Amino acid sequence: MATGVQNQESVPKYLKKQLALTVRNIQWSYAIFWSISTRQPGVLEWDDGYYNGDIKTRKTVQAVELNADQLDLQRSEQLRELYESLSAAQTSPHAIRPSAALSPEYLTATEWYYLVCMSFVFNIDHGLPGRTLSSGQPVWLCNAHCAESKVFSRSLLAKVCAVVTVVCFPFSGGVIELGVTDLVLEDFSLVQWIKTLFLGAQQAIVSNKSIHVSGNNNDLVCPALDPLIIDTKLSPILGCEHLETSFPDDIPDGLEPNQPGEDSFLVQGIDGGASQVQSWQCMDEEFSNCVHHSLNSSDCISQTCADVRNIISLDQEEKNYDNSLQDVDECNQIKLASFDLQNDLHFHAVLSAILKGSHPLILGPRFQNSNKESSFVCWRKNGLVKPQKARDGTPQKLLKKILFFVPHMHDRGLSESPDVNGVRDAVWRPEADDICGNRELPERKRREKINDRLMILKSMVPANSKADKVSILDGTINYLQDLERRVAELESCRELTELETRTKRKPDHVERTSDNYGNNKTTNAKKLYSSKRKTPDADEVDDEIDHVATKDGSTDNITVSMNKNDFIIVLKCPWREGVLLEIMDVLSILSLDCHSVQSFATAGILSLTIKSKYKGSSVAKAGTIKQALQRVAWKY
Amino acid sequence: MENSTQESHLRSDNSVTYESPYTVYAMAVSSTPSPTNLNHQSIALGSFLEDYNNRVDIIAFDPDTLSVKTHPTLSFYHPYPPTKLMFQPNRKSSSSSSDLLASSGEYLRLWEVRESSIEPLSVLNNSKTSEFCAPLTSFDWNDVEPKRIGTSSIDTTCTIWDIEKGVVETQLIAHDKEVYDIAWGEARVFASVSADGSVRIFDLRDKEHSTIIYESPQPDTPLLRLAWNKQDLKYMATIQMDSNKVVILDIRSPTMPVAELERHQASVNAITWAPQSSKHICSAGDDTQAFIWELPTVAGPNGIDPLCVYSAGSEINQLQWSAAQPDWIAIAFSNKMQLLKV
């Protein structure tokens, strides 16, 4: 706060005073001193400034009692403080924002301009201050708001904040910039006058002793100090007292309008070259120790430098939301620092960063045409539009149609099951790793069961090499159809045989024939049965034709002979359709594995010789077998 | 700008409207400037007619003059409505003076969009016989590997195509039911949503396994759309059938959505992440509104509110936010297409 500056207090305070006085005298809006940054060589940054423009309200967060003059000075301090706090909030978003006396809502546009200027840096040769410094000549810019951004990088800012005239002139290693919201026509004499004001003041301060009024160049100085001295009203200024003693008394009231008049100075003949240079040099020394007001402005730069690497590597992995936005901001700050003349971006970046908290509409820094407003409006909780249109009931109608119905428009005789159509060769079926846990488990088990069954099916069905579900099912269907066909064939063949055997009465021949048939049939029949037991082997047809003597008539008998687990069954019974099958059934029920079957049917009599092995667990009894066979063979 | 009227008041300098002769569903914004005029952007619009004959029109959008121009020859017929249209992403404009457009219907088709004509390039058909085809519900063009397109189909599979060679790279049975949407994350990783209600991530390097990262709370409620945040690959968004919620998922924490954006007053139809920012997502629905949301690091207790809103004249069916024009969002409702300034 600009109260009580001590004697050994920093010289910059003088600068502020000078700026203050100057700008007040000429009744302009602000004065800024840009100086060479100590952190980054070759760059001009905001050093100090004074704000003299419109103020919306004097209200501050904390009520502070000050007199009117102090208030003015304080305003600049407050603005600086606000800038610092906002920058701090930006650079470390998680930290609590340091409280500032001012809060953003209370600022006018011009104050915003002043505030935002604090964030700017200029390379020598770039931007208005930069070029001023490099050329060493003052620059007067009228209609700053209409200037091209190449000429005046803050033209957009100026337009928004109604800053119309900007003047820069080099001064003691830096650049002094003055601005006003009115149009002031170019008048370099004013610049000169201001310079001498400054010049004089500097010299006075630097010397810090009584100034000889006499002398050539110093003459300028004395009167020029007049306005400065007024400051004694505000607060004690270094050495002001003794300065006062040296000076004439006709000190105009510094708060009065500027009257560049006879008492002020000798503008002409300022060949202030030498002295100016001197003073500049001195100034340089002094101001090189100048307090850079906040870590923030220089911190901003250093931080932006540090973050260049981050931006460039585009480390997306670790970015959280804030960082990304901030990084892009800083990217833009870097852009400016690297003097990409996208100054709009900088403006928006800073503005957006500053406004981030309060203004919800800022969507990241990529604004290209800020002139065109967005089609979107801020969302308000209760400002929702109630859809009055009567819906025809189906939500997401078009989306559903596209997903559910349109694909089936392409149907050209597709079956219902999607699997049949889509699955082709070499299709992967990833097993879904479920991370949810319990809910998925029964479903997965079900799927696994289905897969298992399909595998079994595959193994049962011959000649199917493909592993996918559809092929397995296809193969099974085919195989079943095949088998059905064969069974039908066999049955018709058997009928045929039956017919033949009945008509032809040549036993031997018939026998043989039927033998062959029988053997064939049995072979086939056996195949059927053995496939049930998954052992397609043991198809040995006992080629020995066991000639059982044909017995006529009442030789319905059954003989079961047993040798350990081997049973030989000789059976004769009246032939009827399916009797052979039934007998085989019974035998399998009795756990008898028939490995050889010979049968012939002659004259309505079925003669059967079966060699089988008992596969059951309990002890087999021939009697049981006989009984069972009797039951089957002789039932009608 | 008032928000009290039914429709947002459209200023002529922040939006462009194009009225099409038919209902529009599929929409795509080109990633490269139009070959005719470097300031123009090509936009493809697919019609929705419940008929065999549907059309796809290409129009040119000029963001400077805010105008939309149609070209009578930049149009082609499509059998039944195209379910999705997409221009090749990141197409190097120096490579050729034409643009590549893909459309999905019963097959994946590629078209070359030239200055004043559109030539069909190829029809990518996976079925061996002419009887069967698996109609596609959606597809996604890999922007890291531009020769790779992944398609999703009602036959529960996702097919990955190498469009340069015109062959299938691989085919996966992705879900137990129809797959409704697919989105690429990296060059070899994609995710899909299905009628079985799950979001699954697949990696082409490990075709034996997939990862379920979310399942709809009511079992078997279909998930209709999926969007993967290209700026921050940890996040995805999905919408459920008949739901007004946009579910935001973090792939690092499966099954638990990180956020459910519930401010639509009717079901949501389309979602798209912002191409230039990892925090923003846009959603549009049957309540005729399009919201832009900004996802905070920490959500408040009452849920997340949208950043801003736009109200269209009728239910918004389609939403596109192109990386080539990040300041503009394209929406489609009934037979209109609108470009809105962000």
Side-chain angles (χ1 to χ4, degrees), chain B residues 39-92:
Chain B
N39 288 334
H40 290 182
Q41 207 68 41
S42 296
I43 300 180
L45 298 172
S47 66
F48 183 87
L49 298 165
E50 297 189 40
D51 192 25
Y52 185 75
N53 287 326
N54 275 262
R55 289 192 72 85
V56 175
D57 299 313
I58 312 275
I59 61 176
F61 165 58
D62 188 344
D64 300 321
T65 64
L66 291 183
S67 61
V68 155
K69 274 198 280 275
T70 58
H71 200 302
T73 55
L74 286 182
S75 180
F76 59 89
Y77 276 103
H78 190 277
Y80 296 112
T83 48
K84 183 161 174 176
L85 289 170
M86 195 167 175
F87 282 96
Q88 184 173 38
N90 306 327
R91 184 169 173 81
K92 300 184 205 17

Side-chain angles (χ1 to χ4, degrees), chain A residues 374-375 389 396 400 422 431, chain B residues 1 14 155 208 210 242 286 313:
Chain A
S374 166
S375 311
K389 293 191 188 61
Q396 299 169 328
K400 283 180 185 167
E431 197 189 285
Chain B
M1 290 233 241
N14 59 13
D155 70 351
E208 305 269 356
S210 65
D242 297 335
D286 276 349

Side-chain angles (χ1 to χ4, degrees), chain A residues 316 321 360 363 373-375 377 379 381 385 389 391 395-396 398 400-401 404 407 422 428 430-431 433 447, chain B residues 1 14 50 135 155 173 176 180 208 210 231 242 265 267-268 279 286 295 305 307-309 313 341-342:
Chain A
Q316 283 194 356
Y321 290 139
L363 261 190
E373 284 189 44
S374 166
S375 311
V377 292
W379 186 84
K381 237 184 177 70
V385 174
K389 293 191 188 61
R391 308 256 166 277
Q396 299 169 328
L398 201 59
K400 283 180 185 167
K401 277 189 186 168
F404 303 161
W428 291 86
E431 197 189 285
D433 291 337
R447 282 200 293 262
Chain B
M1 290 233 241
N14 59 13
E50 297 189 40
D155 70 351
I173 304 178
D176 298 327
Y180 289 142
E208 305 269 356
S210 65
Q231 300 296 317
D242 297 335
Q265 293 173 301
S267 29
V268 184
K279 289 212 254 182
D286 276 349
L295 301 174
D305 287 333
L307 205 54
C308 45
V309 61
K341 187 101 175 50
V342 174

Side-chain angles (χ1 to χ4, degrees), chain B residues 27-32 41-45 59 61 85-89 99 101 319-325 328-331 337 339:
Chain B
M27 191 163 69
V29 181
S30 173
S31 60
T32 54
Q41 207 68 41
S42 296
I43 300 180
L45 298 172
I59 61 176
F61 165 58
L85 289 170
M86 195 167 175
F87 282 96
Q88 184 173 38
D99 213 340
L101 174 69
L319 191 57
Q320 292 289 330
W321 199 344
S322 167
Q325 293 280 354
W328 294 89
I329 292 184
I331 62 171
M337 190 274 302
L339 284 149

Side-chain angles (χ1 to χ4, degrees), chain A residues 94 316-322 324-325 360-364 366-369 371-381 383-392 394-404 406-415 418-436 439-440 443 447, chain B residues 1 3 5-6 11 13-15 25 48 50 63 79-83 105-107 126-128 132-133 135 137 154-155 170-173 176 180 200 202 207-212 215 224-225 231 234 240-242 254-255 263 265 267-269 278-280 286 289-292 295-297 305-311 313 315 317 327 329 340-342:
Chain A
H94 302 295
Q316 283 194 356
E317 300 305 312
E318 304 308 308
K319 258 190 204 176
N320 59 32
Y321 290 139
D322 274 347
S324 61
L325 190 59
L361 200 51
I362 306 273
L363 261 190
R366 270 203 70 157
F367 287 81
Q368 287 183 353
N369 286 312
N371 296 328
K372 296 182 181 169
E373 284 189 44
S374 166
S375 311
F376 287 81
V377 292
C378 277
W379 186 84
R380 279 179 231 299
K381 237 184 177 70
L384 293 173
V385 174
K386 299 278 178 252
Q388 287 98 339
K389 293 191 188 61
R391 308 256 166 277
D392 42 9
T394 323
Q396 299 169 328
K397 194 161 117 194
L398 201 59
L399 181 60
K400 283 180 185 167
K401 277 189 186 168
I402 279 278
L403 292 176
F404 303 161
V406 167
H408 292 294
M409 287 179 182
H410 298 283
D411 262 358
R412 278 172 292 180
L414 294 173
S415 66
D419 267 349
V420 179
N421 304 328
V423 178
R424 308 277 172 249
D425 295 331
V427 175
W428 291 86
R429 190 180 210 288
E431 197 189 285
D433 291 337
D434 170 43
I435 308 182
C436 347
R439 233 173 341 142
E440 179 63 8
E443 176 60 31
R447 282 200 293 262
Chain B
M1 290 233 241
N3 199 13
T5 52
Q6 192 162 339
R11 287 168 39 174
D13 60 351
N14 59 13
S15 76
Y25 178 71
F48 183 87
E50 297 189 40
Y80 296 112
T83 48
E106 82 278 39
Y107 305 123
N126 192 19
S127 63
K128 299 281 186 293
F132 299 130
C133 68
T137 50
I154 57 166
D155 70 351
T170 184
Q171 189 177 24
L172 300 167
I173 304 178
D176 298 327
Y180 289 142
R200 299 190 192 186
F202 300 84
K207 293 177 198 152
E208 305 269 356
H209 297 98
S210 65
T211 318
I212 301 181
E215 275 185 307
L224 297 182
R225 284 288 174 227
Q231 300 296 317
K234 296 194 292 287
Q240 209 180 43
M241 185 169 83
D242 297 335
T255 78
R263 291 289 182 265
Q265 293 173 301
S267 29
V268 184
N269 285 331
S278 64
K279 289 212 254 182
H280 295 93
D286 276 349
Q289 298 191 298
F291 290 138
I292 297 183
L295 301 174
T297 33
D305 287 333
L307 205 54
C308 45
V309 61
Y310 172 78
S311 292
E315 298 93 340
N317 292 313
D327 288 344
I329 292 184
L340 305 169
K341 187 101 175 50
V342 174

Side-chain angles (χ1 to χ4, degrees), chain B residues 112-341:
Chain B
E112 191 180 353
V113 180
R114 298 204 198 117
E115 260 193 53
S116 53
S117 66
I118 301 183
E119 301 300 322
L121 268 185
S122 51
V123 176
L124 298 167
N125 177 6
N126 192 19
S127 63
K128 299 281 186 293
T129 67
S130 61
E131 295 155 32
F132 299 130
C133 68
L136 308 173
T137 50
S138 180
F139 68 95
D140 193 18
W141 212 319
N142 196 320
D143 46 9
V144 182
E145 187 66 72
K147 65 176 187 178
R148 202 170 267 162
I149 292 187
T151 64
S152 61
S153 167
I154 57 166
D155 70 351
T156 81
T157 64
C158 288
T159 309
I160 312 299
W161 289 92
D162 177 338
I163 56 170
E164 277 173 14
K165 296 183 195 144
V167 294
V168 175
E169 261 191 47
T170 184
Q171 189 177 24
L172 300 167
I173 304 178
H175 289 263
D176 298 327
K177 291 195 185 166
E178 300 90 337
V179 190
Y180 289 142
D181 206 358
I182 179 174
W184 286 103
E186 304 160 21
R188 289 197 198 85
V189 179
F190 69 89
S192 61
V193 286
S194 153
D196 66 5
S198 62
V199 180
R200 299 190 192 186
I201 295 186
F202 300 84
D203 189 331
L204 293 179
R205 289 165 289 208
D206 180 13
K207 293 177 198 152
E208 305 269 356
H209 297 98
S210 65
T211 318
I212 301 181
I213 58 162
Y214 176 72
E215 275 185 307
S216 43
Q218 300 87 30
D220 278 348
T221 317
L223 292 174
L224 297 182
R225 284 288 174 227
L226 179 71
W228 204 326
N229 189 342
K230 300 280 197 281
Q231 300 296 317
D232 188 344
L233 292 171
K234 296 194 292 287
Y235 297 101
M236 284 194 209
T238 182
I239 52 179
Q240 209 180 43
M241 185 169 83
D242 297 335
S243 163
N244 67 337
K245 287 193 275 203
V246 177
V247 180
I248 310 287
L249 305 167
D250 183 334
I251 63 178
R252 299 167 302 179
S253 50
T255 78
M256 272 303 297
V258 293
E260 287 187 345
L261 309 177
E262 197 175 356
R263 291 289 182 265
H264 276 283
Q265 293 173 301
S267 29
V268 184
N269 285 331
I271 40 174
T272 178
W273 290 92
Q276 78 275 35
S277 156
S278 64
K279 289 212 254 182
H280 295 93
I281 182 172
C282 184
S283 64
D286 276 349
D287 56 352
T288 80
Q289 298 191 298
F291 290 138
I292 297 183
W293 313 75
E294 183 183 41
L295 301 174
T297 33
V298 179
N302 296 328
I304 302 170
D305 287 333
L307 205 54
C308 45
V309 61
Y310 172 78
S311 292
S314 60
E315 298 93 340
I316 303 178
N317 292 313
Q318 178 71 253
L319 191 57
Q320 292 289 330
W321 199 344
S322 167
Q325 293 280 354
D327 288 344
W328 294 89
I329 292 184
I331 62 171
F333 55 95
S334 73
N335 66 332
K336 296 195 189 70
M337 190 274 302
Q338 260 181 1
L339 284 149
L340 305 169
K341 187 101 175 50

